[in-house]
Amino acid sequence: MKTTLTVNGEAHEVTHDPRRSLLDTLRDDLRLTGTKKGCDHGQCGACTVLLNGERVNSCLCLTAMHDGDEVTTIEGIGSPERLSALQKAFVEKDGYQCGFCTPGQIMSATAMLREISEGAPSYVSDDLEVPKLTDTEMAERMSGNLCRCSAYPLIREAIAMASEVSQ
Amino acid sequence: MTLRKPLPHDSARQHVTGAARYLDDIPLPANALHLAFGLSPIARGRIASLDLDAVRTAPGVVRVWTHADLPSDCDCSPSAHDEPLLSDGTLHYQGQPVFLVAATSHRAARRAALLATLETLAETPILTIEQALDADSRFESGPVIWSRGDAAGAIATAPRRVDGLLEMGGQEHFYLEGQAAAALPQDDGTLHVHSSTQHPSEIQHKVAHALHLAMHDVRVETRRMGGGFGGKESQGNALAIACAVVAQATGRPAKMRYDRDDDFIITGKRHDFRIRYKAGFDEDGHLLGIDFIHYTRCGWAQDLSLPVADRAMLHADNAYWLPNVRIESHRLKTNTQSATAYRGFGGPQGVLGIERVVDHVAHVLNLDPLVVRQRNYYAPSGSVSERTSGGAPAPCSAAPRTPGSISEAEKQVVPDPEAELTSRGGPQDAGAAPAVPAGVQTTPYGQPVEGFILHEMTERLAERAEYHARRARIAEWNAANPVLKRGIALSPVKFGISFTLTHLNQAGALVHVYHDGSILMNHGGTEMGQGLFQKVAQVAAHGFGVPLDAVRITATDTAKVPNTSATAASSGSDLNGAAVANACAAIRARMAAHLASVHGVEPDAVRFADGRVIAGKTTMSFAEAAALCYQARISLSAAGYYATPEISWDRMRGHGRPFYYFAHGAAVTEVVLDTLTGENRILRTDILHDCGASLNPALDVGQIEGGYVQGAGWLTTEELVWDDHGRLRTHAPSTYKIPACSDRPDVFNVSLWDGENHVPTVGRSKAVGEPPFMLGISAFLALSDALAACGDAYPSLDAPATPERLLAAFGSLRGTGG
């Protein structure tokens, strides 16, 4: 079957098996290999992308369900010459070890910072009207992105740094 | 100066933009084949019949292999040649590869693999320690026993005694990038293999052996791994060999990567242990005699289990002087995944054993466990009298062995070219006994404990973390709070650095200086996130006095540096850094000699600094110097080599100096435990760790934080569960809980000890990969401390201390007072 996706601002028509995941479409059909396959069942977060601006695990999305949707991957938020604020902060803070989870962490954090700025509460929010980016909020909201090297302290520092820059 | 700077990882910009290529991201030619294994559905038995017709005719399938179709056994073992790539008819564990499918896509191969009709003759599997002991199912002919003094006598006559049992689970590596390999056939019958491996030379050797090729026919390349943690020391062999078989047979490139569930089910994990202990001590808590029995489930194949179990024995003392000690180690063969290397390599299991004993002793005496720890620490070098130094070589014994056991293999003088020479599972010759300086205590295996700095480190950490004040506050808090209980513990680590298989402690490097002054560097170590490439590049830049960006880091490649050891045993920087330093020194000396002769100065007076070369009154850029040397026909390329000095080990006697030095560290962890649910959190962790004179403090702190969290994960949330049929039921992150961002301690203070290695290593630094893993033990002991506030009895907590297990322990403590 055929599906049209806008990926990083560019329209693509892909022909695919109806069971194909968005992750496989991105990696294998569009060769956007920055999005990683860690567990392939929605537990590790390495495949996080933005779908119409919301973060999703692309391994749990069927390509067939997203005709006409907009997808942003790690390749779409910056380049080595023009890094986004979060990408810069991860470089500055060295927020990784092996780097395999990093694209997912950055995509997830990109959406997470916007969710907070738009006032979306989490279950650890003290203030349901105006949640703030506390350390507890960050830990809770980023807990869907596993880092087996446990570079968490520096990941949290990097996100906090990017948040300050954007404010 | 590029040494000792907190520089980021080498691929920083590639990581944050998704440009960093891992194996599965490497573009392959369009005709590449994708592979999948068909797996054994039972833990033990035989294949009655195997019908693969439906597999062969499935869409996309190109060819299918069973054991009989392979060019050889295609042995995957790093030690005992006991792991045929595909079952030879005998089924040893649930998940063992039985047949191999090559298809035009990954999905087609996996779907086809499910279509086989496999009938089996099931036998009762050997799964537990009891079952293995009953069946005498083990590696080696009997337990390995090392001892010093008279442990039984010392325990019997001691004023006080404890005994107990500690169970500790294994651990899945869960490298976020799963196992993967690819093989590209070349036009002359040779193979170019990409492998996500910590040990390219082993992949090269195993592929060559499987296909009856020479090692020079196989080139293995590894740019980076998405995590290794020991899980890619031997467990990648099967995938690389499978790819090579397919590539050779079909002439097409072949790639294999395990789906996450398959990765859990097929590959080995950390060894689980049961440790039985008896200890005798005086009223002050001094350990007078101690007896350990280690039981470990090694799984179905030998893999690296013998050196893992050895290292557990070698760390049964951790940081403590044990005058009378006996350690008995049973390496049990079970119908489970073949347990393998995992960060610490048995060391953490041995350390947890003695830390439990010290904790138990303190509880019995109603003393602060930290006080008992400090009383039993090894004495600082030169501070002890002959009487307590154990200076004479310790009498050690080993269990009787039958001919053909490992002891026979180890006696051979001429190495067997078929043997796993570059693997930690390989054969070892006996080494000489170490000289013991006067007034220095020795480990149970006779190594002098020199440069022991845990007294000072512990004092400083306890002060910084306000250990004593907080302990008092926690006692008050616990008295006032019936449901939530807090606990605190300080635990040290002393970890031996070097491969215990002495000959592996060598490394090579290849350094080129081009005539534009750029430098290309290659060495035998692999990058898995630990920052090795950056550290070694810093060594090279330092060697030429140039900025770091003058040095290009390249993928590990067996065609550039041969006969390398695994990047393991925390040895990566020590070995490869030294080899690179030696290569740089050789080139630099040639350049200096030439420039000195041209400018009429002594070679020693030629200086390389800040990107410039100064010879007498002449100053030139490094690039100009390189061009001048090139024009004068001076070689600007060198192979560097390093072999760790002074080490020697007699494994059978359990005696020698297996380690070049020890790395130290200590951690204080405070936890809170909900006694109604077992839920718990780490409130605060303070760590002081010894990296010698750190080559890169930022990378080292990252290793320490990561090691601690991973160690705490091992002992708290990470639980492997096999059912009665031997099926692993926790085979994905949905059922196997590794630490998440929210599991990090709320307060996490990590600092480096300000010192330098007492032996000459690169820049006087110390290895850092594994030692901090054992700092996670303080989290486990803190949970035990919280439980101890709930009753009078000793909690005797097993690991992992899941909420379920904590609740059960609380249930049995309640009613014992408190």
Side-chain angles (χ1 to χ4, degrees), chain A residues 28-147:
Chain A
D28 298 341
D29 300 334
L30 303 180
R31 293 298 308 161
L32 292 168
T33 54
T35 306
K36 302 300 179 195
K37 183 177 280 193
C39 71
D40 213 15
H41 64 244
Q43 297 290 323
C44 77
C47 66
T48 306
V49 299
L50 304 185
L51 183 68
N52 301 324
E54 305 280 329
R55 52 179 167 163
V56 295
N57 287 321
S58 61
C59 69
L60 295 183
C61 299
L62 287 171
T63 301
M65 295 172 69
H66 297 290
D67 194 47
D69 284 350
E70 284 195 23
V71 179
T72 307
T73 70
I74 188 74
E75 291 91 347
I77 64 162
S79 63
E81 297 74 36
R82 290 173 63 104
L83 299 178
S84 76
L86 264 164
Q87 288 173 315
K88 274 186 203 152
F90 269 71
V91 171
E92 179 73 21
K93 294 288 181 184
D94 209 28
Y96 33 73
Q97 285 180 25
C98 80
F100 197 81
C101 73
T102 309
Q105 301 280 0
I106 291 175
M107 296 312 292
S108 193
T110 300
M112 186 271 286
L113 290 179
R114 214 198 41 248
E115 288 159 18
I116 288 199
S117 70
E118 290 173 356
S122 80
Y123 96 98
V124 298
S125 300
D126 292 331
D127 183 344
L128 293 182
E129 300 301 319
V130 191
K132 292 190 182 62
L133 184 69
T134 60
D135 212 36
T136 311
E137 282 281 0
M138 206 188 312
E140 162 60 20
R141 289 171 190 255
M142 291 300 293
S143 61
N145 288 81
L146 298 178
C147 170

Side-chain angles (χ1 to χ4, degrees), chain A residues 17 19-21 24 27-28 31-46 73-84 86-103 105-106 123 135-136 138-157 159, chain B residues 7-9 11-22 24-28 106-107 110-111 171-178 224-227 229 255 257 259-261 342-343 527-531 681 698-699 701-707 709-710 713 718 731-736 738-746 748:
Chain A
D17 183 290
R19 295 159 291 191
R20 199 155 185 80
S21 70
D24 285 346
R27 286 184 56 82
D28 298 341
R31 293 298 308 161
L32 292 168
T33 54
T35 306
K36 302 300 179 195
K37 183 177 280 193
C39 71
D40 213 15
H41 64 244
Q43 297 290 323
C44 77
T73 70
I74 188 74
E75 291 91 347
I77 64 162
S79 63
E81 297 74 36
R82 290 173 63 104
L83 299 178
S84 76
L86 264 164
Q87 288 173 315
K88 274 186 203 152
F90 269 71
V91 171
E92 179 73 21
K93 294 288 181 184
D94 209 28
Y96 33 73
Q97 285 180 25
C98 80
F100 197 81
C101 73
T102 309
Q105 301 280 0
I106 291 175
Y123 96 98
D135 212 36
T136 311
M138 206 188 312
E140 162 60 20
R141 289 171 190 255
M142 291 300 293
S143 61
N145 288 81
L146 298 178
C147 170
R148 185 44 153 170
C149 307
S150 297
Y152 298 123
L154 296 172
I155 290 171
R156 284 160 76 169
E157 281 184 29
I159 296 171
Chain B
L7 298 161
H9 281 79
S11 300
R13 279 175 184 262
Q14 291 95 311
H15 285 320
V16 301
T17 54
R21 268 189 197 159
Y22 298 83
D24 197 30
D25 306 330
I26 298 171
L28 289 181
H106 178 73
R107 176 174 288 265
R110 293 195 68 223
R111 289 176 69 83
Q171 187 175 27
E172 162 63 32
H173 303 84
F174 202 88
Y175 24 64
L176 211 58
E177 178 213 23
R224 61 169 66 80
M225 282 163 274
F229 314 115
K255 179 163 96 170
R257 72 172 164 76
D259 171 77
R260 180 60 63 181
D261 297 77
Y342 193 135
R343 202 173 193 173
E527 177 62 49
M528 59 193 113
Q530 81 279 44
R681 275 172 68 182
L699 294 176
V701 167
Q703 285 297 298
I704 294 162
E705 290 172 343
V709 173
Q710 206 174 68
E718 298 187 34
H731 50 75
S734 48
T735 45
Y736 182 79
I738 72 166
C741 194
S742 45
D743 296 316
R744 183 204 92 137
D746 292 345
F748 202 1

Side-chain angles (χ1 to χ4, degrees), chain B residues 17-230:
Chain B
T17 54
R21 268 189 197 159
Y22 298 83
L23 200 139
D24 197 30
D25 306 330
I26 298 171
L28 289 181
N31 69 337
L33 295 173
H34 300 262
L35 316 186
F37 285 130
L39 306 179
S40 169
I42 60 168
R44 188 182 180 199
R46 299 202 47 85
I47 298 172
S49 68
L50 177 59
D51 181 352
L52 296 173
D53 287 350
V55 181
R56 289 196 175 91
T57 55
V61 171
V62 170
R63 198 161 152 185
V64 179
W65 282 259
T66 63
H67 182 263
D69 307 319
L70 296 171
S72 69
D73 247 8
C74 290
D75 177 62
C76 301
S77 167
S79 55
H81 288 241
D82 57 352
E83 289 187 52
L85 175 67
L86 301 173
S87 167
D88 58 5
T90 309
L91 300 172
H92 296 279
Y93 74 104
Q94 191 258 331
Q96 182 182 357
V98 173
F99 62 93
L100 171 67
V101 185
T104 50
S105 75
H106 178 73
R107 176 174 288 265
R110 293 195 68 223
R111 289 176 69 83
L114 299 173
L115 300 175
T117 306
L118 171 59
E119 287 177 12
T120 59
L121 299 166
E123 296 165 32
T124 307
I126 295 170
L127 301 172
T128 64
I129 289 169
E130 287 76 15
Q131 289 165 349
L133 288 172
D134 284 349
D136 198 33
S137 176
R138 62 172 73 238
F139 296 99
E140 304 184 288
S141 53
V144 173
I145 301 165
W146 297 340
S147 62
R148 165 167 70 192
D150 175 13
I155 296 167
T157 56
R160 305 289 294 267
R161 283 180 287 280
V162 291
D163 58 74
L165 189 73
L166 168 63
E167 304 269 2
M168 62 188 93
Q171 187 175 27
E172 162 63 32
H173 303 84
F174 202 88
Y175 24 64
L176 211 58
E177 178 213 23
Q179 302 277 351
L184 293 98
Q186 306 297 300
D187 59 6
D188 54 359
T190 64
L191 287 166
H192 184 180
V193 177
H194 294 274
S195 172
S196 180
T197 180
Q198 294 172 238
H199 200 346
S201 282
E202 176 74 354
I203 297 281
Q204 179 193 25
H205 167 63
K206 297 309 296 188
V207 166
H209 182 258
L211 300 183
H212 308 294
L213 297 172
M215 286 177 78
H216 69 195
D217 296 326
V218 181
R219 175 183 165 204
V220 179
E221 191 178 339
T222 302
R223 173 58 184 90
R224 61 169 66 80
M225 282 163 274
F229 314 115

Side-chain angles (χ1 to χ4, degrees), chain B residues 250-264:
Chain B
T250 64
R252 294 167 69 169
K255 179 163 96 170
M256 184 171 210
R257 72 172 164 76
Y258 289 158
D259 171 77
R260 180 60 63 181
D261 297 77
D262 287 350
D263 205 315
F264 267 76

Side-chain angles (χ1 to χ4, degrees), chain B residues 492-622:
Chain B
V493 60
K494 165 187 132 290
F495 193 77
I497 302 299
S498 289
F499 287 104
T500 54
L501 182 50
T502 303
H503 79 250
L504 297 183
N505 295 290
Q506 58 172 315
L510 182 64
V511 174
H512 301 321
V513 174
Y514 293 95
H515 65 63
D516 66 352
S518 64
I519 296 159
L520 189 86
M521 181 198 71
N522 197 273
H523 56 82
T526 56
E527 177 62 49
M528 59 193 113
Q530 81 279 44
L532 171 67
F533 278 20
Q534 186 72 309
K535 279 190 178 179
V536 177
Q538 287 174 245
V539 170
H542 177 72
F544 291 113
V546 296
L548 195 59
D549 60 10
V551 180
R552 166 66 65 185
I553 298 165
T554 55
T556 316
D557 186 338
T558 57
K560 291 183 181 162
V561 176
N563 309 323
T564 59
S565 296
T567 307
S570 306
S571 67
S573 304
D574 282 6
L575 296 176
N576 296 291
V580 164
N582 288 342
C584 295
I587 298 172
R588 189 175 141 144
R590 287 181 215 143
M591 293 176 76
H594 171 66
L595 297 170
S597 69
V598 171
H599 296 284
V601 296
E602 289 299 309
D604 289 350
V606 179
R607 294 202 300 117
F608 294 71
D610 302 323
R612 309 198 72 75
V613 181
I614 300 141
K617 289 178 181 148
T618 311
T619 297
M620 66 200 94
S621 68
F622 182 75

